[in-house]
């Protein structure tokens, strides 16, 4: 095996390197005065069973996270295969992100995407600095699981399918 020869300082090279790791895609959403507010996040990781925690990483330049951070509860939907259009819409910087998306809200303001493989009712637990991102820990208060739905996988800067 040859030694590493590239310094990890080039952001484009790092983005390409990070894209070698496949990840699921989540939608983090809440209701803001009966209007849904949401964003896509591909950096999602289960963290702890006791207390039940997950994490997402959010770019420091996000204008959506400050609006979501203020909500008492957030809905986190793990997107399923075929929901790549939903991911693109929620990642869009302009326009109505929820146009054409089937969603529902709980009484607590959590917003969930229909046909996702997992719904988590969460609240912000803590935040940590992480370079040009903020690492957000979310506490889970409830869940709904649809384990037979195939996941939406992001790898190599595009959406992929799992093969059996």
């Amino acid at each position: 095996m040859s030694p590493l020869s590239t310094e990890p300082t080039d952001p484009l090279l790092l983005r390409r390197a990070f894209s070698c790791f496949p990840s699921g895609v989540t939608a983090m959403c809440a209701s803001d005065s009966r209007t849904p507010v949401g964003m896509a996040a591909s950096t999602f990781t289960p963290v702890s069973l006791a207390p039940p925690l997950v994490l997402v990483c959010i770019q420091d330049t996000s204008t959506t996270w400050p609006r979501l951070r203020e909500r008492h509860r957030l809905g986190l939907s793990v997107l399923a295969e075929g929901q790549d259009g939903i991911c693109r819409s929620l990642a869009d910087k302009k326009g109505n992100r929820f146009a054409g998306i089937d969603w529902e809200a709980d009484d607590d303001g959590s917003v969930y995407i229909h046909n996702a493989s997992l719904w988590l009712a969460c609240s912000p637990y803590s935040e940590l600095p992480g370079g040009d991102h903020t690492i957000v820990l979310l506490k889970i208060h409830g869940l709904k699981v649809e384990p037979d739905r195939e996941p939406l996988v992001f790898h190599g800067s595009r959406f992929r399918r799992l093969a059996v």
Side-chain angles (χ1 to χ4, degrees):
M1 185 164 154
S2 64
L4 299 177
S5 61
T6 305
E7 290 289 323
T9 56
D10 178 2
L12 294 175
L13 180 61
L14 275 173
R15 181 179 296 269
R16 188 168 149 213
F18 290 165
S19 78
C20 291
F21 183 75
S23 66
V25 182
T26 62
M28 191 165 46
C29 310
S31 178
D32 182 9
S33 302
R34 298 201 182 272
T35 302
V37 176
M39 62 190 298
S42 62
T43 307
F44 164 80
T45 305
V47 174
S48 171
L49 298 175
L53 300 173
V54 295
L55 74 73
V56 293
C57 294
I58 300 167
Q59 285 182 334
D60 289 340
T61 58
S62 171
T63 57
T64 306
W65 174 241
R67 295 174 64 197
L68 289 172
R69 174 194 288 129
E70 297 172 358
R71 311 312 319 156
H72 174 66
R73 287 282 195 268
L74 303 171
L76 195 133
S77 302
V78 175
L79 299 180
E81 185 178 279
Q83 293 186 311
D84 45 306
I86 292 171
C87 177
R88 284 188 187 96
S89 183
L90 291 173
D92 200 354
K93 302 288 186 216
K94 56 186 181 271
N96 178 0
R97 291 182 176 180
F98 286 85
I101 296 176
D102 292 328
W103 58 274
E104 66 183 78
D106 277 352
D107 292 338
D108 63 11
S110 300
V111 170
Y112 304 99
I113 306 300
H114 284 192
N115 298 315
S117 62
L118 172 63
W119 286 358
L120 297 174
C122 301
S123 63
Y125 186 76
S126 68
E127 294 184 27
L128 304 162
D132 58 2
H133 281 63
T134 298
I135 301 164
V136 178
L137 288 172
L138 301 169
K139 184 173 184 180
I140 301 168
H141 299 281
L143 57 92
K144 177 183 172 189
V145 179
E146 298 288 344
D148 293 332
R149 293 204 171 113
E150 295 296 325
L152 181 62
V153 177
F154 194 67
H155 176 258
S157 299
R158 58 186 215 224
F159 297 104
R160 311 260 188 172
R161 294 181 138 199
L162 293 180
V164 178

